[in-house]
Amino acid sequence: MSTATPQKFEFQAEIKQLLDIVIHSLYTEKEIFVRELVSNASDALEKLRHTQLTEKDILDDKAALEITLTTDDKAKTLTIQDTGIGMTRDELVENLGTIAHSGSKAFLKALGEGGAKNSNLIGQFGVGFYSAFMVAKTVKVYSRSWKAGEPGHVWSSDGSGSYEIEEVADLSRGSKIVIELKDECSEYAQDGRIKDILERYSAFVSFPVNLNTKHINTVTALWLRSKNEIKDEEYNEFYKFQSHAYEDPSLRLHFSADAPLSINALLFVPQENTEKMGLSRLEPAVSLYCRKVLIDAAPKDLLPEWLRFLKGVVDSEDLPLNISRETMQDKALIEKLNKVITKRFLKFIDEEATQRPESFAKFYAQFGIFLKEGAALDFTHKDQLMKLLRFESTLTDKTKSTSLPDYVTRMSSEQKEIYYLVGANRAALESGPYLEAFKARNLEVLLCYEPVDEYVMNNVREFDGKKLVAADHADVKLTDIPKAEGALSEDDTKTLTTWLKESLGDRVAEVKASDRLVDSPALAINADKFMSAHMRRMMKAMNKDGADMPQKVNLEINPRSAVMKRLFETHALAPEKAKLVAEQILDNALISAGMLEDATQMVARLYKLLETV
Ligand code: ADP
Ligand code: MG
């Protein structure tokens, strides 16, 4: 549809919300809007370069691919023009009037989740185009699509609820953004101020950038330069430019390789894990280049999924030169790249862990969850990833952690398995009955507090040829330790366990004497092979189906405990009372195991028992 008169549109509600936040000074560093607009211009040029590979009928096909900024001190305007892909009328509405694109969407989602209070969180997002409204009275976007036959338009808005679109004659291909600055932001109409800003990062733009007819940047790909020539600030500026970040990265890895593939890679780990903050799943963000030319800004298979938190650039000369996003089907090549980079990154993290444990701990606190995901799901890198995992253990101090290789060095020659126990926290696990047996035998148990740990351990199954075994699993077999004095005899124990099974009926699958107990009178073991007690608790908490199936419980008793010796006497003399005691012992054991699902009967019974005292 072509219209001669301006047409007015309302911004989508989310955009209004976003604009409101942007305009009311979310960012102290207003100058980032220049970076955002230059980066959009660069994206538009990059898209045109790709379009040229496949399309013939391109408007102004011979126009140079470049970005031009113009300041006008008197009129207080800043103009940013590109010869990129441009936008049709519909695209103007779609791209600038709705929240269809990723950066701002994630930002809003974060705000919706209470992120506005977290200034760190805000630092994780670029609000892209809308950042112009931090400094603008009005913004006009003149744009003409590369599609020959599409007319040009001007989109304009003052950042309050609406915008207008009007057809404009005689535009050349690309976009020209004219910002009429607020009085207090007139500094951005000065050549010197913009030059300062551009000099910091325009070198990372792979197209010529001009300011007031002067050429500003020499296009040098930072990742192709030699490491010892590059300053930290240059790396940090590049990271911020490339990943739209507002903070420096926490780690970086810059490396090159010649065999089996020629690779130059520059990878960054951000400060924070936004997934951990409850935001949406991260998308791949390491861009793929071939000799400085962008092939794909977000290739899906360049890295394994668990490395989706990485930012940066991979450049390989071995990619076919004319490759485009659509034709990037050379799976084998991408797989090879994937392998080399992943291996190199793992080595880097491993060095970090051994040589700079504090830095590693900081990394692990944020991104350890991704290492766990990898250990559970990435069969190729499982072993290396397992080495990087950290857990507290019964031998570490609170909040200090240990690794599986370290655990293994502490194993005695008789110990064949690696033990772990999953639960909410250290106190909960230590007050439970499961650890005593291991303590008594000097066996170390890893203490796992994260919900995914159980899944990871189940998937991994073994480390260094040793089985990973849950300490509360029914199948755990521990070596005998000498029987303490004064325990019930074997016959008496047998009588008692048989009686207990009869008295408790269906509530227990099996009752037997325990070789795990040292101090506690009894413990309950979840005998369900398919569902651990911890998993059951989680399912219950989430109201999942299956959580209310009857539980299968084994009761193990301690023939050395005074309670059991007394019960053995009582069961013959006062069977009614003994039955109440037996029920109570089972409930106590279930409580310790976190498996008691309904305490009402227990309370009633306890009063009955108290009457008999
Ligand atoms: P992002 O760059 O993260 O997608 P922006 O808010 O910066 O988000 O831009 C929104 C969208 O507007 C872009 O995805 C793009 O489609 C379009 N756009 C912005 N600037 C330009 C431009 N100079 N040329 C063509 N399209 C543009
Ligand atoms: Mg952008």
Side-chain angles (χ1 to χ4, degrees), residues 407-556:
Y407 179 106
V408 170
T409 60
R410 289 188 292 264
M411 286 169 71
S412 74
S413 55
E414 289 105 72
Q415 188 182 345
K416 301 284 178 267
E417 298 172 326
I418 296 172
Y419 301 107
Y420 68 90
L421 189 57
V422 184
N425 53 49
R426 188 170 187 122
L429 294 179
E430 280 179 342
S431 67
Y434 300 104
L435 294 177
E436 340 184 309
F438 295 86
K439 221 182 262 169
R441 291 168 179 81
N442 254 326
L443 294 170
E444 182 173 8
V445 179
L446 297 172
L447 305 177
C448 309
Y449 313 136
E450 280 194 278
V452 293
D453 289 337
E454 176 151 41
Y455 178 71
V456 174
M457 295 298 197
N458 274 334
N459 261 283
V460 174
R461 284 165 188 278
E462 58 170 54
F463 175 77
D464 196 15
K466 292 155 190 78
K467 259 174 82 179
L468 295 161
V469 176
D472 56 357
H473 197 273
D475 289 346
V476 176
K477 296 271 179 300
L478 297 174
T479 53
D480 285 339
I481 42 174
K483 283 224 162 53
E485 291 291 305
L488 289 174
S489 72
E490 248 169 63
D491 281 352
D492 290 354
T493 305
K494 185 90 198 85
T495 312
L496 185 59
T497 52
T498 313
W499 176 82
L500 275 166
K501 172 68 187 112
E502 271 167 22
S503 309
L504 296 169
D506 286 345
R507 292 193 66 200
V508 289
E510 193 187 341
V511 181
K512 62 175 187 178
S514 174
D515 47 12
R516 324 183 183 218
L517 287 167
V518 180
D519 299 317
S520 305
L523 66 74
I525 298 253
N526 175 48
D528 192 331
K529 279 212 176 353
F530 302 103
M531 204 196 304
S532 74
H534 183 69
M535 205 139 89
R536 195 181 174 91
R537 277 194 297 279
M538 290 207 327
M539 286 174 70
K540 243 183 118 64
M542 296 185 304
N543 261 325
K544 279 259 161 49
D545 295 346
D548 45 319
M549 287 187 319
Q551 36 185 11
K552 282 192 208 145
V553 176
N554 289 352
L555 183 68
E556 297 192 2

Side-chain angles (χ1 to χ4, degrees), residues 36 39-40 43 128-129 244:
E36 291 296 340
S39 128
N40 282 352
D43 290 349
F129 171 75
H244 299 261

Side-chain angles (χ1 to χ4, degrees), residues 40 66 92 131 159 172 230 283 304 312 332 344 417-418 541 548 606:
N40 282 352
E66 58 183 13
L92 281 167
S131 61
S172 51
I230 307 174
E283 297 289 335
R344 192 63 186 71
E417 298 172 326
I418 296 172
D548 45 319
L606 206 48

